[in-house]
Amino acid sequence: MTPTDLPERKAYLLHQKAEHQRNVLGVFPAVYPREILWSLNILPVEIWDPPVPIGRSAAHVPPNICDVARRGLELILQGHCGDLDGFLFPHTCDSIQNVASIVNDYLGTGKPSFFFHLPRESESRAARAFYRLQLESLSSALRKHFHRSLDTGMLVESLQWGQRIDAAIRTLYELRGQDRLDVSNSRFYSVLRAGEYLHPSDHLPCLAQLIETTGSAKPPKTPVVLSGVLPSPPAFLSLLDELDLRVAADDLLNCSRRLQVPDGPAGNPYEALTDRYFRLPVCPTRNSTLAQRVNRLLSLVGSTRAAGVIFYVVPFCDPELFDLPPLVAELKKQGVRTLVVEAGLNRQLSGQVAVRVEAFAEMIGSGAA
Ligand code: SF4
């Protein structure tokens, strides 16, 4: 397996089941303790933007639900989840909560649903205790359903996998920020996102190989910061590549906002996982303040010398949209050029979106104010 030869998702999960006797859980966005699943020989397969046509979900959800939640529901309604052994719903936002309730209470999929509730306040003793309790109850529910026993050694090994993956991704971001990674936006994110379904023993070698593709991009591309939910649709990344815009850093829920900072000294695995959660980068789905978000974006712009910030926002994504107007206003006040694109995850980009991104690329490329 190499960064240019990633396996197709369905074939991969079938192979994992047959070869390693792994159970496979379909995991909805965004943050969940992947290490607990790995330690129980369960492969998480994340459901963010499946390329399914939109149709049946209209009978179950209102038109003003985000494209991420709608596509996940479509995937189930259209019968593409037959090989999964269940679903995991982290409590990320109201949209995911609605889908969780529809799938668990009404659809009769015959598959178990597991839930992972997240504390709504930043770190405090009560929030830490709540999070730790959620870890333990998820582990217990999975063990009971899949007839696994607690294996502390495997949990410790899984934590190490998680650390190594995050360390490799941090290195990749650093190289990318310094324009030393000779790969397109499309390739970079396809390898990062392969972690949504690859087992760490397969994802780690791909990340390591990508780190080796250092060189200096010729000619240098204009660096930008990408903010929003996920680096999708693929046509958007291809457009950035065509316009010679390099995503030098991102503030994406699906990518760097899930990247954990290095661990402190090893201790109890549940405590280590709790620490990791509370040290994640700021995110509106975790009630970060506007000031924290502005600071993070300014820091990403400063450290990568980005020429601007592009917000690619999924329509009806309330957590992102509530922050957006004051965030953009504050960045502009600080002299940062911004572009807001609100568009779905369709495979094709609209002409209007393409023209707006082209105009932005021209503006920041020419240095115009
Ligand atoms: S965070 Fe936004 S895009 Fe993601 S599921 Fe929730 S509402 Fe949808």
Side-chain angles (χ1 to χ4, degrees), residues 239-289:
L239 176 65
L240 299 185
D241 283 324
E242 281 165 30
L243 295 171
D244 277 342
L245 295 179
R246 169 174 53 94
V247 180
D250 74 56
D251 165 51
L252 296 169
L253 170 59
N254 162 291
C255 293
S256 76
R257 287 191 212 153
R258 300 198 294 171
L259 191 58
Q260 296 157 358
V261 295
D263 277 353
N268 176 294
Y270 287 108
E271 274 304 304
L273 285 173
T274 304
D275 274 346
R276 286 186 193 185
Y277 175 76
F278 285 102
R279 291 189 293 157
L280 286 174
V282 297
C283 177
T285 67
R286 293 189 290 277
N287 284 353
S288 299
T289 65

Side-chain angles (χ1 to χ4, degrees), residues 78-109:
Q78 293 180 25
H80 297 297
C81 295
D83 297 313
L84 300 181
D85 298 307
F87 300 100
L88 172 61
F89 296 97
H91 190 171
T92 302
C93 58
D94 289 348
S95 298
I96 294 298
Q97 199 63 9
N98 284 343
V99 171
S101 160
I102 291 166
V103 173
N104 186 57
D105 302 336
Y106 300 111
L107 289 190
T109 61

Side-chain angles (χ1 to χ4, degrees), residues 29 66 68-69 92-93 95-96 229 253 285 314 316-319:
C66 75
V68 170
T92 302
C93 58
S95 298
I96 294 298
V229 173
L253 170 59
T285 67
V314 178
F316 305 115
C317 173
D318 289 348

Side-chain angles (χ1 to χ4, degrees), residues 34-50:
R34 57 192 177 168
E35 293 85 352
I36 285 186
L37 276 65
W38 294 335
S39 74
L40 299 172
N41 206 27
I42 297 170
L43 182 72
V45 173
E46 300 179 13
I47 300 172
W48 287 85
D49 55 342

